[in-house]
């Protein structure tokens, strides 16, 4: 039976701004007079930043929110008091300062080497940072040209390099961006990240100068795209909208209300299938809806009364378009009906209409939108269980539908099939309709509520129903209010929360289960940007982009990986903002979008890099490490490649695998000695290798089996060149062997060969590189414990070596000393090797794994070994995958990380030590 739960719209503090075509490609800007070092902060609020205060930045302009974010981040204070100068072109000096500020303005030592950059200039440290990170070398020897204006092409390259020059995927779609231009890869990346769509259809305008307004938007988008900006709570499920226009849901899913194509409950956030370009979300009792940038609406979940608006009563487990509806500016979800505000300030509703809640003068259910009778001049809307309220542009409120207990606020208990004014209520700024009560925030920042009060949800100190608005006691300086099934919450201007009403399951977040007759503080949750309440739980979005929930959790609606109710706020799981991930033996590391690194799991010898040896069940920041472009986790150590081509390592150093010239363990990163110009790194059990820009390879660490490839078996504490190989394009290290691929499609391996993992047709140990036999067209290569695999240019995979668990994927468990084709998989984009299992990302961004599976490392929901590839269920949109010793991790395009398999040391990062046979989100920092 569908639970009758009230739901109002909560398109919470939507910040997605529709940027006009003029926006386009890369952009940046810094003020000439804008900033001294003291002005810089970095890391402002992506969610509802404070107003910028500039008179020349119009409210609602495409760069309005972006400029607010720049100011809140401390990146700029404008060009002069009260002025931002949005149309002013950006100079190279300003661009440097903006980019540096966006990284948190790290302190700089030494000089940048440019004669035209005065040491006391506002941009001196910024330029020094750019040079040190390898982002620029100037415009000519000894010159930076700080006053030169920046073009869109140049800005694209700068932003791309700051991001670590990620490999571009797909065409850019612009006729004015030649494929062989210096900025082509940068533009492809910008488009793929959603940072720009060009200046007009098919045009990027690479020679056009970048304005300060454009620069602001590009920095804002590149920093905030994966940040949650809105949250909504249904009866037993919740959803969050991210800045990039995608939606995640979690909790009860019996009718497909999570929108991911199944009816399986989820205790952690999961992406809604195929939904992009969303600007607002609303959750009903057992369904959800989303408003898109183009003014259309999509809904999913239960549809027995037509509440999805698609002209049917068929349930939908993925989003379906609402029929004939366009030009929508806001949406609201009731228990079993939905309403939308249109650009002409009218309202249309659909779904259950037994009490007249659709406002069309009837009690007939509607499976497609129908206009609310006689209603114009609407500013906002909110829907309750079986009533609806609208805030008009004149700051008055009208309501319609069921009037049981006085919830329409007109002084009666008579149902209304068309809008009727709420008595004596003026000067209203926001409204919220609960299951059987309603609330409004007034211009004086106080709150009034009316309707059912059996659980004291009106906050007036009594349990007496009210048929007209009554003030909430002791509540002032309120910014927003939300009403649920039997409780209400208010967001105050200082970013704190107050809740009141029913509290049997902790939904008020005050650490008790005591009902509250008047507002009571939510414990330990400051700096809140938005709040919404569900049937028996509540959720809030903080300015730092984190999401928190509390109350009932029987269906996983709190999103914390459990079904345990919480009396205080608990953070929603799901590590986001990740660009690369690596799995070691029993620890995992990830590079975040801000180029810092987090690690979790086993921490013996300090392999997590946080200055301790304490294990971590959730991600912890690696100390003092910035500007990272790649990460690799070895058996008991880790290494990071920095933007400037240097490498830092930490953890176990028994064999000199940290490359610092010692065998001393390091609890925090230490630079590898004498190593520069590095483009890729790999880590074996006790040795590491680096690929350099010149195509040569250096290795260091344990060399007992010749795995360093220098012709000896002597341990090396600093990098040593691999003998007899050059022009290398890719490298990978196994436990005791190493392999390399070349642009001409050949591969070579060296080191231990007991199972034929070197692929030369023998089991003889080799101290220098030897060609892999009978393989051509190699695109990349990976190495497992005692086997190797090659991805071929045609998208097929060959493997060789140990096959005891089927890790070669050829349908047998027979060892192979030469390459054998993996069966039943094609169209592969990348591969990764674990201890004794292999995983591949296909060109359709799904994942398949094979080999050893005794602890669920293949992610197929079983512990059965697989001798051929098996799909990892429901995991799509994957951009990176990493196989560890006995577990695996994947990174989705939305920058969310998932892991599965062994979790004995917390290496899955889900806050537990429970093994997982299917993907589970890494808990967010």
């Amino acid at each position: 039976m569908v639970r009758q739960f009230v739901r109002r719209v909560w398109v919470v503090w939507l910040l997605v701004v529709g940027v006009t075509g003029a926006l386009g490609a890369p952009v940046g800007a810094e003020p000439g007079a804008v900033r001294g070092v003291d002005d810089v902060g970095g890391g402002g609020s992506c969610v509802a930043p404070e107003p910028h205060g500039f008179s020349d930045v119009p409210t609602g302009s495409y760069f309005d929110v972006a400029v607010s974010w720049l100011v809140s981040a401390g990146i700029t204070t404008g060009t002069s008091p009260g002025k931002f100068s949005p149309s002013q072109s950006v100079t190279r000096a300003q661009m440097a300062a903006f980019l540096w500020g966006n990284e948190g303005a790290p302190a700089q030592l030494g000089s940048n080497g440019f004669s035209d950059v005065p040491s006391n200039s506002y941009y001196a440290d910024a330029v020094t940072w750019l040079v040190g990170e390898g982002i620029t070398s100037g415009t000519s020897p000894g010159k930076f040209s700080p006053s030169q204006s920046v073009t869109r092409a140049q800005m694209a390259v700068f932003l791309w390099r700051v991001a670590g020059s990620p490999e571009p995927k797909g065409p850019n779609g612009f006729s004015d961006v030649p494929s062989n231009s210096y900025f082509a890869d940068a533009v492809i990346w910008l488009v793929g990240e959603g940072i720009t769509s060009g200046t007009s259809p098919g045009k990027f305008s690479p020679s056009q100068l970048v304005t300060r307004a454009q620069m602001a938007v590009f920095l804002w988008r590149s920093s905030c795209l994966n940040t949650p900006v809105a949250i909504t709570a249904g009866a037993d499920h919740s959803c969050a909208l991210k800045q990039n226009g995608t939606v995640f849901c979690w909790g009860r899913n019996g009718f497909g209300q999570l929108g991911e194509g199944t009816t399986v409950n989820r205790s952690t956030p999961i992406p809604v299938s195929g939904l992009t370009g969303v600007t607002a979300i609303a959750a009903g009792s057992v369904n959800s809806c989303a408003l898109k940038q183009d003014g259309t609406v999509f809904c999913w979940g239960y549809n027995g009364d037509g509440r999805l608006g698609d002209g049917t009563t068929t349930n939908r487990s993925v989003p379906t378009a609402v029929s004939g509806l366009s030009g929508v500016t806001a949406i609201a979800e009731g228990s079993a009906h939905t309403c939308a505000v249109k650009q002409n300030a009218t309202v249309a509703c659909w779904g259950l209409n037994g009490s007249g809640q659709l406002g069309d003068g009837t009690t007939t259910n509607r499976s497609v939108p129908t206009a609310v009778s006689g209603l114009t001049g609407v500013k906002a809307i909110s829907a309750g269980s079986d009533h609806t309220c609208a805030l008009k542009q004149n700051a008055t409120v009208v309501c319609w539908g069921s009037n049981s207990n006085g919830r329409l606020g007109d002084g009666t208990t008579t149902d209304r099939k068309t809008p009727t004014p709420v008595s004596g209520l003026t000067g209203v700024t926001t409204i919220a309709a609960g299951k059987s009560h309603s609330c409004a925030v007034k211009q004086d920042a106080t709150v009034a509520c009316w309707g059912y009060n059996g659980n004291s949800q009106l906050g007036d100190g009594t349990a007496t129903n009210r048929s007209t608005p009554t003030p909430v006691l002791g509540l002032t300086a309120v910014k927003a209010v939300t009403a649920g099934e039997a409780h209400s919450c208010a967001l105050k201007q200082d970013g704190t929360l107050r809740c009141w009403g029913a509290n049997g399951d902790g939904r008020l977040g005050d650490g008790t289960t005591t009902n509250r007759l008047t507002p009571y503080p939510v414990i330990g949750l400051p700096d809140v940007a938005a709040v919404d309440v569900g049937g028996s739980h509540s959720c809030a979005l903080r300015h730092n982009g984190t999401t928190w929930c509390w109350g009932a959790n029987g269906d996983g609606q709190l999103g914390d990986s459990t079904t345990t109710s919480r009396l205080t706020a608990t953070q929603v799981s799901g590590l986001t903002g990740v660009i690369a991930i690596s799995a070691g033996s029993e620890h995992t590391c990830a590079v975040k979008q801000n180029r810092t690194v987090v690690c979790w799991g086993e921490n013996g010898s300090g392999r997590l890099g946080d200055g301790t040896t304490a294990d971590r069940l959730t991600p912890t920041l690696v100390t003092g490490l910035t500007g990272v472009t790649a990460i690799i986790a070895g058996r008991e150590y880790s290494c990071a490649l920095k933007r400037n081509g240097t490498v830092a390592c930490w953890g176990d150093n028994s064999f000199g695998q940290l490359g610092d010239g010692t065998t001393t363990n390091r609890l925090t990163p230490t630079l590898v000695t004498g190593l520069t110009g590095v483009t890729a790194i790999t880590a074996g059990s006790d040795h590491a290798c680096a690929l350099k820009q010149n195509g040569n390879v250096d290795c260091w660490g344990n060399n007992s089996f010749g795995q360093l490839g220098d012709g000896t078996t002597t341990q090396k504490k600093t990098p040593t060149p691999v003998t007899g190989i050059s022009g290398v394009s890719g490298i990978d290290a196994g436990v005791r062997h190493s392999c390399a691929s070349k642009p001409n499609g050949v591969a070579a391996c060296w080191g231990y060969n007991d199972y034929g993992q070197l692929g030369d047709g023998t089991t003889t140990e080799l101290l220098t590189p030897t060609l892999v036999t009978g393989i051509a067209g190699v695109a990349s290569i990976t190495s497992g414990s005692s086997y190797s695999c090659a991805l071929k240019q045609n998208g097929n995979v060959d493997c060789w070596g140990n096959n005891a668990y089927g890790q070669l994927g050829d349908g047998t468990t027979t060892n192979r000393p030469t390459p054998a084709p993996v069966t039943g998989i094609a169209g592969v984009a990348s591969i990764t090797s674990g201890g004794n299992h292999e995983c591949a990302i296909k060109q359709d961004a799904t994942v398949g794994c094979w080999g050893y599976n005794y602890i669920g490392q293949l992610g197929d929901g079983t512990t059965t070994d697989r001798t051929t590839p098996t799909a990892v269920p429901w995991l799509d949109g994957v951009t990176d995958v990493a196989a560890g010793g006995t577990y695996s991790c994947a990174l989705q395009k939305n920058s969310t990380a998932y892991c599965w398999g062994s979790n004995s040391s917390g290496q899955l990062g889900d806050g537990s030590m429970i093994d997982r046979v299917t993907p589970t989100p890494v808990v967010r920092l």
Side-chain angles (χ1 to χ4, degrees):
M1 174 188 225
V2 176
R3 179 172 165 188
Q4 287 300 302
F5 162 71
V6 56
R7 179 67 272 130
R8 84 252 101 242
V9 165
W10 243 132
V11 175
V12 187
W13 303 95
L14 208 313
L15 298 181
V16 177
V17 174
V19 180
T20 65
L23 195 289
V27 246
E30 212 315 52
V34 232
R35 60 158 314 113
V37 174
D38 293 339
D39 297 326
V40 181
S45 171
C46 291
V47 184
E50 292 299 318
H52 45 69
F54 296 125
S55 60
D56 57 355
V57 177
T59 300
S61 61
Y62 77 83
F63 51 93
D64 181 22
V65 175
V67 173
S68 291
W69 170 77
L70 280 179
V71 172
S72 71
I75 297 173
T76 184
T77 55
T79 53
S80 62
K83 299 292 184 182
F84 179 71
S85 306
S87 300
Q88 188 180 97
S89 62
V90 177
T91 67
R92 288 172 56 85
Q94 292 171 347
M95 174 212 60
F98 270 119
L99 294 175
W100 176 61
N102 194 36
E103 294 286 318
Q108 300 298 304
L109 298 174
S111 128
N112 50 58
F114 296 125
S115 60
D116 56 355
V117 177
S119 59
N120 62 348
S121 62
Y122 76 83
Y123 53 89
D125 282 351
V127 174
T128 301
W129 172 77
L130 283 177
V131 172
E133 293 294 323
I135 296 169
T136 186
S137 57
T139 54
S140 62
K143 298 292 184 181
F144 180 72
S145 306
S147 300
Q148 187 179 99
S149 294
V150 178
T151 67
R152 289 169 56 80
Q154 293 167 345
M155 196 63 245
V157 173
F158 273 99
L159 289 174
W160 178 59
R161 287 179 178 172
V162 167
S165 303
E167 182 180 353
K169 297 178 181 179
N172 57 59
F174 299 122
S175 60
D176 56 356
V177 178
S179 59
N180 60 350
S181 61
Y182 75 89
F183 52 90
D185 286 351
V187 173
I188 292 173
W189 172 76
L190 283 175
V191 172
E193 291 295 307
I195 297 173
T196 184
S197 57
T199 54
S200 63
K203 297 293 183 181
F204 178 71
S205 306
S207 300
Q208 188 180 98
L209 297 182
V210 174
T211 67
R212 290 171 54 82
Q214 292 172 343
M215 180 67 164
V217 173
F218 276 92
L219 285 178
W220 171 62
R221 284 181 169 182
S222 62
S223 295
C224 295
L225 274 178
N226 282 291
T227 303
V229 294
I231 192 165
T232 183
D236 301 304
H237 76 291
S238 310
C239 295
L241 169 63
K242 299 182 77 173
Q243 190 77 272
N244 63 6
T246 60
V247 178
F248 284 67
C249 295
W250 60 95
R252 190 179 182 192
N253 197 27
F255 298 98
Q257 57 262 49
L258 302 188
E260 40 77 90
T262 78
T263 54
V264 178
N265 292 356
R266 306 289 184 178
S267 61
T268 53
I270 189 166
V272 174
S273 297
L275 196 60
T276 59
V278 175
T279 61
I281 53 174
S285 174
V286 284
N287 72 295
S288 310
C289 289
L291 169 62
K292 300 190 70 173
Q293 288 172 338
D294 61 5
T296 60
V297 177
F298 284 72
C299 296
W300 58 96
Y302 184 72
N303 197 25
D305 35 44
R307 70 185 74 177
L308 301 188
D310 65 349
T312 77
T313 54
T314 304
N315 296 347
R316 308 288 183 179
S317 62
V318 293
T320 184
V322 175
S323 299
L325 191 62
S326 61
V328 175
T329 60
I331 53 175
E333 278 280 1
S335 178
H337 73 292
T338 310
C339 294
V341 181
K342 304 188 72 174
Q343 289 171 342
N344 62 4
T346 63
V347 176
C349 297
W350 59 96
L352 186 66
N353 198 25
S355 300
Q357 58 262 50
L358 302 189
D360 65 348
T362 77
T363 55
T364 304
N365 294 351
R366 307 289 183 179
S367 61
V368 292
T370 184
V372 175
S373 299
L375 187 61
T376 59
V378 174
K379 182 179 180 180
I381 192 130
S382 187
S385 176
D386 46 15
H387 77 291
T388 312
C389 293
L391 171 61
K392 301 194 72 175
Q393 293 166 346
N394 63 5
T396 63
V397 178
V398 294
C399 296
W400 60 95
S402 172
N403 200 17
S404 174
N405 310 118
R407 69 192 72 176
L408 301 187
D410 66 348
T412 77
T413 55
T414 304
D415 293 350
R416 307 289 183 180
K417 300 174 187 176
T418 56
T420 186
V422 175
S423 298
L425 191 62
T426 59
V428 175
T429 59
T430 63
I431 55 172
K435 178 179 180 179
S436 49
H437 74 292
S438 309
C439 293
V441 181
K442 302 187 69 176
Q443 290 170 345
D444 62 3
T446 61
V447 177
C449 296
W450 59 96
Y452 183 63
N453 199 25
N455 298 103
S456 299
Q457 55 263 58
L458 302 188
D460 66 349
T462 77
T464 303
N465 298 342
R466 306 289 182 179
S467 62
T468 56
T470 184
V472 176
L473 296 181
L475 193 59
T476 59
V478 174
K479 191 174 184 179
V481 68
T482 180
E485 183 173 300
H487 74 297
S488 309
C489 289
L491 170 62
K492 299 198 68 178
Q493 293 168 351
D494 63 3
T496 60
L497 293 178
R498 301 291 189 273
C499 296
W500 59 96
N503 197 24
D505 33 44
R507 71 188 78 173
L508 302 187
D510 65 351
T512 77
T513 54
T514 304
N515 291 358
R516 302 292 182 179
L517 279 64
T518 56
Y520 208 83
V522 174
I523 294 175
L525 197 64
D527 197 33
V528 174
V531 62
D532 197 22
V533 298
S536 52
H537 74 294
S538 309
C539 292
L541 179 63
R542 294 185 63 193
H543 279 284
N544 62 9
T546 57
T547 304
W548 300 73
C549 296
W550 57 97
N553 199 24
D555 295 294
Q557 59 262 49
L558 302 189
D560 66 348
S561 301
T562 77
T563 53
T564 304
S565 297
R566 307 289 182 178
L567 304 185
T568 56
T570 182
Q571 192 167 359
V572 175
S573 300
L575 177 68
T576 60
V578 176
I579 60 172
I581 195 164
S582 181
S585 175
E586 294 180 330
H587 77 293
T588 312
C589 293
V591 182
K592 300 198 74 180
Q593 288 174 328
N594 63 3
R595 299 296 160 178
T596 60
V597 175
V598 291
C599 296
W600 60 94
E602 166 68 38
N603 199 20
S605 307
R607 69 192 78 173
L608 302 187
D610 66 346
T612 77
T613 55
D615 294 352
R616 305 291 184 180
L617 302 184
T618 56
T620 185
L621 187 68
V622 175
T623 302
L625 193 61
T626 60
V628 175
T629 61
I631 189 74
I632 191 75
R635 187 177 68 176
E636 297 181 7
Y637 69 106
S638 310
C639 292
L641 171 60
K642 301 193 69 178
R643 268 188 299 236
N644 60 8
T646 61
V647 177
C649 297
W650 58 96
D652 181 48
N653 200 22
S654 303
F655 296 92
Q657 60 262 49
L658 302 189
D660 66 348
T662 76
T663 54
T664 304
N665 294 350
R666 305 290 184 179
L667 305 185
T668 56
T670 183
L671 281 177
V672 175
T673 302
L675 191 62
T676 59
V678 175
T679 61
I681 53 174
T682 185
S685 177
D686 305 306
H687 77 290
C689 295
L691 172 60
K692 305 184 75 174
Q693 288 172 341
N694 59 9
N696 294 333
V697 178
D698 286 0
C699 296
W700 59 96
N702 190 358
N703 198 24
S704 303
F705 302 96
Q707 57 261 54
L708 302 188
D710 66 345
T712 77
T713 55
T714 305
Q715 175 180 312
K716 306 290 184 182
K717 301 174 189 175
T718 56
T720 185
V722 174
T723 302
I725 193 168
S726 60
V728 173
S729 57
I731 55 172
D732 201 43
V735 172
R736 299 183 183 91
H737 74 292
S738 309
C739 292
S741 58
K742 300 185 71 172
N744 62 1
V746 301
C749 297
W750 58 95
Y752 203 40
N753 198 23
D754 55 338
Y755 290 97
Q757 57 261 49
L758 302 188
D760 67 338
T762 77
T763 54
T764 304
E765 183 179 298
L766 299 170
L767 306 185
T768 56
T770 186
L771 288 178
V772 176
T773 302
I775 193 170
V778 174
S780 63
I781 197 161
T782 64
S783 302
S785 176
S786 51
Y787 74 101
S788 307
C789 291
L791 170 61
K792 303 179 74 172
Q793 292 164 354
N794 61 5
N796 295 332
V797 180
D798 286 1
C799 296
W800 57 95
N802 187 4
N803 198 24
Y805 304 100
Q807 59 262 51
L808 302 189
D810 64 351
T812 77
T813 54
T814 304
N815 296 346
R816 307 286 183 182
T818 56
V822 174
T823 302
I825 193 169
V828 174
S830 67
I831 54 175
T832 180
S833 300
N836 290 296
H837 74 289
E838 189 80 7
C839 291
I841 302 176
K842 299 187 67 178
Q843 290 168 353
D844 63 2
T846 60
V847 176
C849 297
W850 61 95
Y852 201 27
N853 196 29
Y854 88 106
I855 210 157
Q857 57 261 52
L858 302 188
D860 66 349
T862 77
T863 54
T864 304
D865 296 346
R866 304 291 182 178
T867 59
T868 56
T870 183
V872 178
W874 69 257
L875 196 62
D876 57 10
V878 175
T879 60
D880 194 12
V881 66
T886 52
Y887 71 106
S888 309
C889 294
L891 175 62
Q892 289 186 310
K893 185 177 181 180
N894 56 36
S895 300
T896 302
Y898 291 83
C899 294
W900 60 94
S902 174
N903 201 20
S904 57
S905 299
Q907 59 263 48
L908 302 189
D910 66 349
S912 77
M913 296 176 67
I914 301 170
D915 299 336
R916 307 288 184 180
V917 294
T918 56
T920 184
V922 177
V923 174
R924 183 177 179 145
L925 289 177

